[in-house]
Amino acid sequence: MNNHFTFSIKRIDFDENYQPSDSTRLTTNFANLARGKRRQENLRNALQMINNRFNALAYWDNHKGDRYSAELEIISVDIDVEGNGHTFPTIEILKANIVDHVTDQRIEGIVGNNFSSYVRDYDFSVILSQHNKGKSSFSIPDDFGDLHGKLFKHFVNSDVYKANFQKPPVICLSVSENKTYHRTENQHPVLGFEYQPNGSSLTEKYFEKMGLKVRYFMPANSVAPLAFYFSGDLLNDYTNLELISTISTMETFQKIYRPEIYNANAVAGKHYQPNLRHQDHSLTQIEYDREERNQLAVEQGKFVEEHFIKPYQPILAQWSANSAV
């Protein structure tokens, strides 16, 4: 049995000319924006929003508000299970790089940011559905997310990851509708005020199996906290500019995808519960098909089952059982 699945990485620029590859999950934030008649306008406007937010947060020695711009790369990760050159798309993440137009430097930002995974679609759209079919109350299988978590950790610990990225990933997500968040007195100069949830969520437990813990912060002039998933020390392992690259990128996506929360007209207070039915919010001028996103997630889950889980099931099951990561 092959105990050491191999990974390969492909990079593509996320700019106004971006075209999703055939293997990209179409529910991914950046892929959704790059479709339809207004695709180029969508991309151009989203990138401008990211740069505007970046400069607003990196305001020191930046009196014109145009010192920095973000350059984004989509990192596509394929896995070779049998070592025969046949690969399956497993993960897509964003790498943010920073251009300082004063010093003409190009500074590496954080890898991770947006997180896209076909196997996660399978877990949430197929496994959970099958497990709870016909049951009166919702429950989660004991091994839910085990394979996905071990694959992710195997990638982050791989030579391929270490050869391409200097620091562990940080993934930034929306807060959960099912939780109430309480603002603490802890305030970071870039991340802002820290919030604490009133309990753990399914997403937190799922990402914990990926080796990631979570903290919630609301940056200055934001209206809701963001969830930051990381493996080391979020506040000390990354520079201010690196953190700003993630905030500006992911807050922009959330304003487009979840305006009820992240483009609301009222700021989250000391006690905050997100609400996707909240009407007091503003819309961006960027088209995003949320209904199609929900429908495609199920199709993508079935695609994984047919082309990855079933063909490699004996190998994956044995590897997962013996994997120490």
Side-chain angles (χ1 to χ4, degrees), residues 268-307:
K270 284 190 174 183
H271 305 285
Y272 174 65
Q273 182 168 9
N275 184 357
L276 284 172
R277 291 164 298 283
H278 185 62
Q279 296 299 311
D280 186 20
H281 66 274
S282 301
L283 297 175
T284 67
Q285 298 301 307
I286 298 172
E287 293 182 354
Y288 194 104
D289 194 331
R290 291 201 292 187
E291 182 177 348
E292 181 187 49
R293 174 190 171 109
N294 294 332
Q295 294 171 349
L296 284 173
V298 176
E299 295 178 21
Q300 289 167 173
K302 292 177 180 178
F303 168 80
V304 179
E305 183 177 36
E306 181 180 351
H307 296 282

Side-chain angles (χ1 to χ4, degrees), residues 32-50:
N32 194 302
L33 297 179
R35 303 170 68 197
K37 295 180 180 179
R38 294 183 56 194
R39 55 171 305 280
Q40 194 166 52
E41 183 181 353
N42 279 345
L43 294 168
R44 189 182 300 121
N45 289 341
L47 291 167
Q48 188 60 55
M49 285 176 65
I50 292 171

